[in-house]
Amino acid sequence: AVRIVGKLVLGVLGLVVVLVIFLHTSWGKSFVRGRIESKLNAMTTGSATLGELDYGFMFSSIELGKLEIRDAQDKPAIKVDRIALDLDRGELLGGSLKIGALAITGVDVDLVKREDGTSNLTGLFKPSDRKPMKAIAIGKLTVTGRATITKPDGSVIAVRDLGITGTVDAKPIAQELDATFETIAAKVDLKKPDSTRTLDIAITGITAKRRIDGIDVDIAKVAAGVLGIDNLGAHVRL
């Protein structure tokens, strides 16, 4: 009996080793990329493609590249050049997600507003029926990219050179969020059929707390063109 159990254990361990080796081959990574792409498509009312995927040993680090999400009319809505994250795998066993560093670079959002107040992003993502995670923590968050907002009257708000740095600590089940952003900076072009105006926007020292009954936001400084505001705070009851 001991020999039989020993052989079964060795057989299972052998299969695990083979699976791990397979997942770290080009064929294995292609298989995982396809599964992620399939899940993304199931989450949207449009379509999603993921061009690249790489990860470290046992998914200690993950890199996604060339992500594109198209709307229900098959027009580009969201593009991301690269998503890189360092993952604490041990926290996943307890229903939490802990990310040491998350870098999202080359974000490109194309939002088109309609007369009724909706946009091409309205309803793009299907409601999720999955149980929310216990906690999500991001030690260092960086985001770079751009966005274009086209209004029904033909005017355009173009956000470029966007840069965001901060930290996030969320408890989705308890509906709680603590976030700190060192800076949010961008250049904003306000385009009308007969004129264009550019603003340099910088917001620094942002702390946000969300609880089940309200939201508190404090901002150290806001600068938009020639306008500057120090120490801005707000409390919103829910």
Side-chain angles (χ1 to χ4, degrees):
V2 171
R3 286 198 298 269
I4 292 173
V5 172
K7 289 180 180 179
L8 288 174
V9 171
L10 288 174
V12 171
L13 289 176
L15 289 174
V16 171
V17 170
V18 171
L19 177 60
V20 170
I21 293 173
F22 170 74
L23 290 177
H24 286 79
T25 64
S26 58
W27 299 288
K29 291 179 179 181
S30 178
F31 171 78
V32 175
R33 184 194 60 78
R35 294 297 298 168
I36 294 175
E37 190 175 78
S38 177
K39 291 290 185 182
L40 288 172
N41 274 285
M43 292 168 56
T44 69
T45 55
S47 62
T49 56
L50 179 63
E52 300 173 355
L53 172 68
D54 197 8
Y55 43 80
F57 181 69
M58 295 300 293
F59 301 95
S60 58
S61 62
I62 302 173
E63 290 189 16
L64 309 174
K66 302 188 183 305
L67 171 64
E68 181 179 10
I69 299 175
R70 304 177 76 89
D71 61 23
Q73 284 70 45
D74 198 33
K75 294 182 179 180
I78 302 172
K79 294 181 181 179
V80 182
D81 284 343
R82 180 174 175 269
I83 301 173
L85 58 95
D86 295 325
L87 185 64
D88 187 340
R89 294 155 297 174
E91 294 289 334
L92 290 173
L93 299 177
S96 300
L97 178 62
K98 186 175 182 181
I99 300 172
L102 172 61
I104 306 172
T105 56
V107 176
D108 188 352
V109 179
D110 191 0
L111 187 149
V112 180
K113 288 191 172 183
R114 307 186 184 103
E115 291 284 356
D116 60 0
T118 62
S119 73
N120 61 321
L121 301 187
T122 302
L124 179 60
F125 295 98
K126 300 175 182 178
S128 175
D129 56 358
R130 296 182 62 183
K131 182 180 178 181
M133 301 197 75
K134 187 184 300 182
I136 301 173
I138 304 173
K140 182 180 180 181
L141 171 67
T142 58
V143 181
T144 64
R146 59 181 295 276
T148 302
I149 304 170
T150 304
K151 296 184 176 182
D153 61 2
S155 61
V156 176
I157 301 174
V159 181
R160 53 190 174 87
D161 299 336
L162 174 66
I164 301 173
T165 58
T167 62
V168 177
D169 187 3
K171 297 178 176 62
I173 292 180
Q175 299 184 35
E176 295 181 358
L177 170 70
D178 289 275
T180 301
F181 296 99
E182 298 171 10
T183 181
I184 298 176
K187 294 182 182 296
V188 179
D189 298 324
L190 307 175
K191 300 178 181 179
K192 293 185 178 181
D194 57 349
S195 65
T196 299
R197 183 183 178 189
T198 300
L199 292 176
D200 290 326
I201 295 178
I203 308 173
T204 57
I206 307 161
T207 59
K209 295 183 179 180
R210 199 257 195 218
R211 299 295 182 263
I212 195 169
D213 60 344
I215 300 174
D216 289 286
V217 179
D218 288 291
I219 301 173
K221 187 172 183 178
V222 178
V226 297
L227 175 66
I229 301 175
D230 291 332
N231 300 323
L232 179 67
H235 173 74
V236 181
R237 294 190 63 184
L238 301 178

